[in-house]
Short mmCIF file of all heavy atoms in Angstrom, two decimals:
data_model
loop_
_atom_site.label_atom_id
_atom_site.label_comp_id
_atom_site.label_asym_id
_atom_site.label_seq_id
_atom_site.Cartn_x
_atom_site.Cartn_y
_atom_site.Cartn_z
N ALA A 234 -69.61 37.81 -20.63
CA ALA A 234 -69.36 37.59 -19.19
C ALA A 234 -68.74 38.83 -18.57
O ALA A 234 -69.14 39.23 -17.47
CB ALA A 234 -68.45 36.37 -18.99
N VAL A 235 -67.76 39.42 -19.23
CA VAL A 235 -67.14 40.63 -18.70
C VAL A 235 -68.13 41.79 -18.64
O VAL A 235 -68.19 42.53 -17.65
CB VAL A 235 -65.88 41.01 -19.54
CG1 VAL A 235 -65.38 42.39 -19.18
CG2 VAL A 235 -64.80 39.97 -19.34
N ALA A 236 -68.95 41.93 -19.68
CA ALA A 236 -69.95 42.99 -19.69
C ALA A 236 -70.97 42.77 -18.57
O ALA A 236 -71.41 43.74 -17.93
CB ALA A 236 -70.68 43.03 -21.04
N THR A 237 -71.34 41.53 -18.30
CA THR A 237 -72.24 41.24 -17.20
C THR A 237 -71.62 41.63 -15.87
O THR A 237 -72.28 42.25 -15.02
CB THR A 237 -72.57 39.72 -17.19
OG1 THR A 237 -73.20 39.36 -18.41
CG2 THR A 237 -73.48 39.36 -16.02
N HIS A 238 -70.37 41.30 -15.69
CA HIS A 238 -69.66 41.66 -14.45
C HIS A 238 -69.58 43.17 -14.25
O HIS A 238 -69.88 43.68 -13.18
CB HIS A 238 -68.25 41.05 -14.49
CG HIS A 238 -67.43 41.41 -13.31
ND1 HIS A 238 -67.64 40.86 -12.05
CD2 HIS A 238 -66.39 42.26 -13.17
CE1 HIS A 238 -66.76 41.37 -11.20
NE2 HIS A 238 -65.99 42.22 -11.86
N HIS A 239 -69.21 43.89 -15.30
CA HIS A 239 -69.12 45.35 -15.22
C HIS A 239 -70.48 45.98 -14.95
O HIS A 239 -70.60 46.92 -14.16
CB HIS A 239 -68.49 45.94 -16.47
CG HIS A 239 -67.02 45.76 -16.54
ND1 HIS A 239 -66.13 46.37 -15.72
CD2 HIS A 239 -66.27 45.00 -17.37
CE1 HIS A 239 -64.89 46.01 -16.01
NE2 HIS A 239 -64.96 45.16 -17.01
N ALA A 240 -71.50 45.44 -15.58
CA ALA A 240 -72.85 45.97 -15.38
C ALA A 240 -73.28 45.78 -13.91
O ALA A 240 -73.80 46.71 -13.30
CB ALA A 240 -73.83 45.25 -16.31
N ALA A 241 -73.03 44.60 -13.38
CA ALA A 241 -73.43 44.32 -11.99
C ALA A 241 -72.69 45.23 -11.02
O ALA A 241 -73.28 45.72 -10.04
CB ALA A 241 -73.13 42.86 -11.66
N ARG A 242 -71.43 45.51 -11.29
CA ARG A 242 -70.66 46.40 -10.39
C ARG A 242 -71.21 47.83 -10.39
O ARG A 242 -71.09 48.53 -9.40
CB ARG A 242 -69.20 46.43 -10.81
CG ARG A 242 -68.49 45.11 -10.45
CD ARG A 242 -67.04 45.15 -10.82
NE ARG A 242 -66.37 46.15 -10.00
CZ ARG A 242 -65.15 46.58 -10.25
NH1 ARG A 242 -64.47 46.10 -11.27
NH2 ARG A 242 -64.60 47.49 -9.48
N ARG A 243 -71.84 48.22 -11.50
CA ARG A 243 -72.42 49.56 -11.61
C ARG A 243 -73.88 49.60 -11.19
O ARG A 243 -74.52 50.65 -11.23
CB ARG A 243 -72.31 50.05 -13.04
CG ARG A 243 -70.91 50.27 -13.50
CD ARG A 243 -70.87 50.65 -14.96
NE ARG A 243 -72.05 51.41 -15.33
CZ ARG A 243 -72.07 52.38 -16.21
NH1 ARG A 243 -70.98 52.71 -16.85
NH2 ARG A 243 -73.17 53.00 -16.49
N GLY A 244 -74.44 48.43 -10.86
CA GLY A 244 -75.85 48.39 -10.51
C GLY A 244 -76.75 48.19 -11.73
O GLY A 244 -77.95 48.34 -11.64
N ASP A 245 -76.16 47.91 -12.87
CA ASP A 245 -76.90 47.66 -14.10
C ASP A 245 -77.13 46.17 -14.24
O ASP A 245 -76.69 45.37 -13.43
CB ASP A 245 -76.15 48.21 -15.30
CG ASP A 245 -76.01 49.73 -15.28
OD1 ASP A 245 -76.82 50.39 -14.62
OD2 ASP A 245 -75.07 50.24 -15.93
N HIS A 246 -77.84 45.80 -15.33
CA HIS A 246 -78.24 44.40 -15.49
C HIS A 246 -78.13 44.00 -16.96
O HIS A 246 -78.66 44.68 -17.83
CB HIS A 246 -79.68 44.27 -14.99
CG HIS A 246 -80.12 42.88 -14.83
ND1 HIS A 246 -81.26 42.43 -15.44
CD2 HIS A 246 -79.62 41.83 -14.16
CE1 HIS A 246 -81.42 41.16 -15.14
NE2 HIS A 246 -80.45 40.78 -14.36
N LEU A 247 -77.47 42.87 -17.22
CA LEU A 247 -77.36 42.33 -18.59
C LEU A 247 -77.90 40.91 -18.58
O LEU A 247 -77.54 40.10 -17.71
CB LEU A 247 -75.91 42.32 -19.04
CG LEU A 247 -75.66 41.71 -20.42
CD1 LEU A 247 -76.15 42.66 -21.51
CD2 LEU A 247 -74.17 41.44 -20.62
N ARG A 248 -78.79 40.59 -19.53
CA ARG A 248 -79.34 39.25 -19.67
C ARG A 248 -79.21 38.79 -21.10
O ARG A 248 -79.29 39.59 -22.03
CB ARG A 248 -80.83 39.21 -19.37
CG ARG A 248 -81.47 39.44 -18.52
CD ARG A 248 -82.95 39.22 -18.24
NE ARG A 248 -83.87 39.84 -19.15
CZ ARG A 248 -84.32 41.06 -19.03
NH1 ARG A 248 -83.89 41.84 -18.08
NH2 ARG A 248 -85.19 41.51 -19.87
N LEU A 249 -79.07 37.48 -21.25
CA LEU A 249 -79.02 36.87 -22.57
C LEU A 249 -80.35 36.21 -22.87
O LEU A 249 -80.95 35.56 -22.02
CB LEU A 249 -77.91 35.81 -22.62
CG LEU A 249 -76.53 36.26 -22.19
CD1 LEU A 249 -75.55 35.11 -22.37
CD2 LEU A 249 -76.08 37.47 -22.98
N ARG A 250 -80.82 36.41 -24.08
CA ARG A 250 -82.12 35.87 -24.50
C ARG A 250 -81.90 35.01 -25.75
O ARG A 250 -81.04 35.32 -26.59
CB ARG A 250 -83.06 37.01 -24.85
CG ARG A 250 -84.40 36.59 -25.43
CD ARG A 250 -85.27 37.78 -25.74
NE ARG A 250 -85.65 38.42 -24.48
CZ ARG A 250 -86.03 39.69 -24.39
NH1 ARG A 250 -86.10 40.45 -25.46
NH2 ARG A 250 -86.37 40.20 -23.20
#
Side-chain angles (χ1 to χ4, degrees):
V235 169
T237 299
H238 177 74
H239 285 292
R242 288 182 65 193
R243 294 175 33 145
D245 295 337
H246 191 235
L247 178 72
R248 300 189 301 273
L249 306 182
R250 175 180 293 158

